[in-house]
């Protein structure tokens, strides 16, 4: 697994694991005080991850052993989600930064959950939806 989120399982702050051992050593120093999670925004199980320094294969994140956990495979591990699984979080962060740099309101609400469409909400939306205004037909001058 190459992607995780930082500090909590509900975090939207993604991080990508380096694949080579020398980069992993630098990565470990940079994120010394942080924790890695198989986050909900990645479609994960919300379990804590650890980094694995490997010299014979690609460095990666792995689930921490939990003796009290039910032994069920994480969907991300069995589903083959890889580096691209956090793309939407990187895009969201970049969009929020761009909106803030252009003083565009709503930058912090990018990706906010949309309330469920209940019958009452549908009826209110239907009442408040503006109706199209009929356009006048253009007058085409005829032969004089």
């Amino acid at each position: 697994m190459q992607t995780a989120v930082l500090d909590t399982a509900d975090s939207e702050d993604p991080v990508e694991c380096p694949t080579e051992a020398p980069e992993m050593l630098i990565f470990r120093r940079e994120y010394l005080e942080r924790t890695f999670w198989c986050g909900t925004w990645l479609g994960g199980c919300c379990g804590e991850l650890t980094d694995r320094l490997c010299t014979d294969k690609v460095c990666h994140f792995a689930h921490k052993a939990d003796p009290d956990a039910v032994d069920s495979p994480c969907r991300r591990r069995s589903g083959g989600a890889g580096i691209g699984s956090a793309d939407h979080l990187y895009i969201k962060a970049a969009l929020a930064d761009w909106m803030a740099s252009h003083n565009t309101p709503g930058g912090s609400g990018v990706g906010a959950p949309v309330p469920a469409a209940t019958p009452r909400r549908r009826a209110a939306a239907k009442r408040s939806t503006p109706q199209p205004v009929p356009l006048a037909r253009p007058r085409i001058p005829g032969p004089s």
Side-chain angles (χ1 to χ4, degrees):
M1 185 178 316
Q2 293 303 121
T3 55
V5 292
L6 293 170
D7 303 322
T8 69
D10 291 327
S11 169
E12 294 181 37
D13 192 8
V15 64
E16 190 173 319
C17 188
T19 56
E20 302 293 326
E23 288 83 17
M24 177 61 94
L25 294 172
I26 296 167
F27 177 85
R28 283 181 166 178
R29 284 192 299 270
E30 186 177 338
Y31 292 97
L32 186 63
E33 300 296 322
R34 310 292 292 270
T35 55
F36 309 111
W37 295 85
C38 186
T40 54
W41 288 99
L42 299 175
C45 65
C46 301
E48 190 171 1
L49 303 174
T50 184
D51 59 60
R52 296 280 171 92
L53 176 68
C54 301
T55 56
D56 59 337
K57 58 184 178 179
V58 172
C59 298
H60 58 279
F61 290 116
H63 289 83
K64 279 191 171 182
D66 183 359
D68 298 326
V70 177
D71 192 27
S72 63
C74 174
R75 290 176 296 183
R76 289 185 67 214
R77 183 174 52 215
S78 61
I83 292 172
S85 66
D87 284 354
H88 63 290
L89 297 179
Y90 289 110
I91 293 167
K92 178 182 176 183
L95 179 60
D97 289 347
W98 181 86
M99 291 176 76
S101 72
H102 287 79
N103 295 322
T104 304
S108 62
V110 174
V114 177
T118 62
R120 181 179 288 170
R121 285 195 181 116
R122 276 192 220 103
K126 193 171 188 179
R127 285 192 304 272
S128 66
T129 303
Q131 297 299 314
V133 178
L135 299 174
R137 293 186 179 188
R139 293 188 55 163
I140 302 173
S144 310

